[in-house]
Amino acid sequence: MADKESKKTAVVEEDSHEGHDHDHDHDHDHDHAHDDELKFVEDPVFTIDYKGDCAYEVKVTVPAANKKQQADEMYDELRHEAEVPGFRRGRAPRRIVEKRFAKVVRSEVDAKLVSAAFRKLIADEEMKPIRFPDIEGLEDDKERKEDEALEFTLKFEVAPKVELGKYRGVKVERPVVTVDEKDAEEALEEMRGRYASFETLEEKGKAKDGDQVVIDFNGLIDGEQFPGGSAENYPYILGTKRFFPEFEKKLVGSKVGDELTCKVTFPDDHPNENLRGKKATFTINVKEIKRRQLPDLNDDFAKQVGAENVEGLRDRVKNQLRENSIQTSDRIARSRALEAVIEKSKYEIPKTLIDDVARSHYEDEVRRLIQMRVPVEQIESRMEELRKSAEESAVDEIKRTVTLMEIGSTEGIEVTDADFESEASTIAMQTGIDSDTVAQYMSEESDRRSMYEGRIYRAKAMDLIMEHAKVTDKEVPREEIEQTDEA
């Protein structure tokens, strides 16, 4: 198992969705260290300037003696290995080798000294950089003499910092609901609805709420079509209120073959700002009306969904509702407890980490909207709102992760093999996959195993918060707990 501190940095990187890139940077640095563990003849001097928000600028001065030592070692190696025209291998005079390879050696020496200085800096100062630094100053020093020190500036950010507030004994209100017969009957009706089928009505049938109306529609603003204003064979379910109220009003009571005209004024908060306040005229053609048919609630239906009979199905639904309610209550309580800790804590977060996580959240949300077939114009009109929301959720995610990692570090939490096996068993139960197969999948790549270890580590820290929390249960309406959980 990795030590707690390195695990802390690794998990922050994982949650920024750039963990692989950061790991690659550290691995690259690690490889340099093991090429030849550089020992300084004279230690470099660091002038550290903390810029806030985890950003550092460090001016580094590496004494010239180190350049000479590294260059001498490299020239000696080249003299024995390099092929120089006019000389047998290993026989070229040192001055010839120096003249031929001076530029390459200088570049390589600088690179080794910069890398070694950075490693020494972060070791001496116990820093945890989230990626390799930007290096400034070397490009301006081409005429530097051999007896002059190597000077450059390192710019980098370190892992988020948190000054923990109180996390033992936080007060938490846990919302709870009581499952009754009405809840069970509603759940059974929802289940029947999932197995419902739509059957085409006869030509004389009239559309009503709940019916699926297949329509063509075409909208015009000042006689011109506009994006998203037309469709063919569009299946619309009355009562869902996904269209304008004027649409629903026209379609209720309509028959197949009807051609309807509907005038609509786009609201001032419409997602597409170019349509706000505009008046449109829609022509709607009703092509087909389908009515939803629910299966009968009988033993045959119960067997279809995996129960022996109706009573067995009803009992199963009640038990599932109770279990779901408990899980929802606990999930909300855990979230509230962590929020209480975050509220009392102080944070410094690197800007690039926020940007990275926010970008990932933004891209995920755009993909989700596209999958929901939200018109591209609407998505583009909401870009500013989506980016702001993504940044807020990014900061929240980072704070949650950093808080739990810091608590884990403070409390000496470790992830054991038993914890890992338990997590594999839980996933196996949820997915129906053999636990050995799950465990193998979780462990077959180091990055993947680190991801699961981080998840387990944070869960154990959250368990510790809840173990010492002062939890009060409060009975609430089902609608309230569902809204809270969704939020």
Side-chain angles (χ1 to χ4, degrees):
M1 297 295 165
D3 67 275
K4 295 187 288 295
E5 291 301 321
S6 62
K7 197 181 301 175
K8 184 191 306 181
T9 304
V11 173
V12 170
E13 291 172 352
E14 165 214 326
D15 282 348
S16 76
H17 303 276
E18 294 204 357
H20 297 307
D21 292 339
H22 296 158
D23 289 343
H24 176 76
D25 286 338
H26 289 307
D27 289 344
H28 180 69
D29 184 36
H30 187 69
D31 291 341
H32 269 290
H34 286 275
D35 287 343
D36 251 328
E37 192 63 45
L38 189 151
K39 301 292 184 183
F40 287 101
V41 179
E42 295 181 33
D43 283 343
V45 177
F46 302 114
T47 304
I48 301 173
D49 184 8
Y50 182 57
K51 298 295 185 179
D53 292 334
C54 301
Y56 284 88
E57 286 189 16
V58 181
K59 183 178 178 181
V60 183
T61 302
V62 180
N66 296 288
K67 292 191 307 179
K68 183 177 186 310
Q69 182 198 47
Q70 293 302 312
D72 286 346
E73 290 178 1
M74 200 168 295
Y75 282 130
D76 286 344
E77 184 178 340
L78 283 169
R79 188 180 172 203
H80 290 92
E81 299 296 331
E83 293 185 3
V84 179
F87 299 92
R88 293 200 305 269
R89 181 191 292 269
R91 294 294 184 177
R94 166 75 178 255
R95 58 184 178 79
I96 300 295
V97 173
E98 288 184 16
K99 184 176 181 180
R100 184 175 181 84
F101 296 103
K103 188 174 181 180
V104 173
V105 167
R106 174 176 171 171
S107 177
E108 190 68 23
V109 166
D110 285 356
K112 289 181 71 172
L113 291 175
V114 169
S115 181
F118 182 56
R119 290 197 304 275
K120 181 172 176 56
L121 169 68
I122 61 177
D124 290 353
E125 301 296 328
E126 297 183 344
M127 294 175 169
K128 299 177 183 64
I130 60 175
R131 53 171 58 86
F132 208 72
D134 292 329
I135 305 164
E136 296 181 356
L138 294 180
E139 67 281 357
D140 299 327
D141 209 8
K142 293 180 180 178
E143 302 304 320
R144 176 171 25 90
K145 296 178 181 178
E146 291 302 317
D147 59 350
E148 289 181 356
L150 177 65
E151 295 184 345
F152 54 92
T153 299
L154 300 173
K155 294 184 177 181
F156 59 95
E157 292 174 321
V158 297
K161 302 176 181 181
V162 56
E163 183 182 323
L164 284 176
K166 177 182 178 182
Y167 61 87
R168 284 177 176 250
V170 295
K171 295 181 180 179
V172 181
E173 186 177 85
R174 176 169 52 201
V176 295
V177 295
T178 301
V179 176
D180 55 24
E181 292 297 329
K182 180 184 176 185
D183 295 324
E185 292 306 316
E186 287 179 355
L188 286 169
E189 286 303 301
E190 288 179 8
M191 184 179 292
R192 289 176 67 202
R194 291 197 295 273
Y195 285 84
S197 58
F198 282 96
E199 297 181 4
T200 302
L201 290 184
E202 298 178 2
E203 286 189 17
K204 294 183 180 180
K206 293 184 178 181
K208 66 177 184 180
D209 272 358
D211 286 350
Q212 184 185 81
V213 186
V214 181
I215 58 175
D216 293 346
F217 64 88
N218 184 48
L220 302 175
I221 296 177
D222 297 329
E224 299 289 335
Q225 290 190 327
F226 57 91
S230 62
E232 293 183 353
N233 297 317
Y234 191 94
Y236 182 69
I237 298 177
L238 293 175
T240 57
K241 299 181 180 178
R242 291 178 58 196
F243 277 2
F244 302 103
E246 295 88 346
F247 257 65
E248 296 241 356
K249 188 175 180 180
K250 283 286 184 180
L251 287 170
V252 171
S254 65
K255 303 187 301 295
V256 172
D258 283 354
E259 182 172 296
L260 312 171
T261 301
C262 175
K263 293 185 182 296
V264 169
T265 300
F266 286 89
D268 292 335
D269 60 351
H270 192 275
N272 188 339
E273 59 183 16
N274 295 325
L275 298 179
R276 292 172 185 171
K278 298 286 182 68
K279 298 181 184 297
T281 300
F282 285 89
T283 301
I284 308 168
N285 292 297
V286 181
K287 304 180 73 173
E288 189 177 3
I289 300 173
K290 298 180 179 182
R291 185 151 294 162
R292 190 171 69 154
Q293 300 295 326
L294 297 177
D296 293 331
L297 184 58
N298 53 29
D299 289 350
D300 289 339
F301 175 71
K303 290 175 182 177
Q304 183 182 354
V305 295
E308 291 187 6
N309 49 45
V310 173
E311 286 308 309
L313 177 59
R314 185 172 277 108
D315 288 342
R316 190 182 76 182
V317 166
K318 286 180 184 176
N319 291 334
Q320 188 64 55
L321 284 174
R322 292 190 185 101
E323 184 178 335
N324 290 346
S325 293
I326 292 171
Q327 290 178 355
T328 301
S329 295
D330 287 345
R331 185 163 56 245
I332 294 172
R334 289 167 75 88
S335 180
R336 287 176 173 176
L338 185 52
E339 287 171 3
V341 177
I342 290 173
E343 189 177 336
K344 299 295 184 182
S345 302
K346 297 179 181 179
Y347 300 86
E348 288 187 56
I349 304 175
K351 185 179 183 303
T352 55
L353 183 58
I354 295 174
D355 292 343
D356 290 344
V357 180
R359 186 185 311 111
S360 178
H361 283 211
Y362 170 80
E363 291 171 354
D364 288 345
E365 179 63 10
V366 169
R367 277 193 292 269
R368 187 185 73 83
L369 293 173
I370 290 173
Q371 289 171 356
M372 292 174 61
R373 298 187 177 181
V374 175
V376 174
E377 303 82 28
Q378 291 188 20
I379 297 174
E380 290 177 346
S381 70
R382 294 177 55 196
M383 283 181 63
E384 185 176 344
E385 168 201 337
L386 293 174
R387 291 188 189 282
K388 182 179 179 182
S389 176
E391 182 172 332
E392 290 173 354
S393 62
V395 172
D396 182 62
E397 177 185 325
I398 295 167
K399 284 183 177 181
R400 286 171 174 266
T401 299
V402 172
T403 301
L404 291 174
M405 298 310 294
E406 186 66 22
I407 290 173
S409 176
T410 303
E411 294 287 342
I413 289 175
E414 294 182 351
V415 177
T416 65
D417 290 339
D419 293 326
F420 204 79
E421 291 167 5
S422 176
E423 178 75 2
S425 297
T426 299
I427 295 174
M429 289 178 60
Q430 293 171 344
T431 61
I433 301 174
D434 177 76
S435 60
D436 289 339
T437 303
V438 174
Q440 181 180 353
Y441 170 81
M442 291 166 62
S443 302
E444 63 187 2
E445 294 180 8
S446 60
D447 285 346
R448 189 180 297 159
R449 184 177 179 93
S450 294
M451 180 189 73
Y452 281 104
E453 286 181 349
R455 181 186 299 177
I456 297 167
Y457 189 85
R458 296 192 297 275
K460 292 183 75 170
M462 192 67 241
D463 289 342
L464 185 142
I465 294 175
M466 294 307 297
E467 181 184 341
H468 297 91
K470 298 175 181 177
V471 182
T472 304
D473 287 347
K474 179 184 178 183
E475 185 84 21
V476 298
R478 178 168 298 280
E479 296 77 15
E480 181 178 328
I481 197 171
E482 289 174 350
Q483 290 173 0
T484 303
D485 188 42
E486 183 178 352

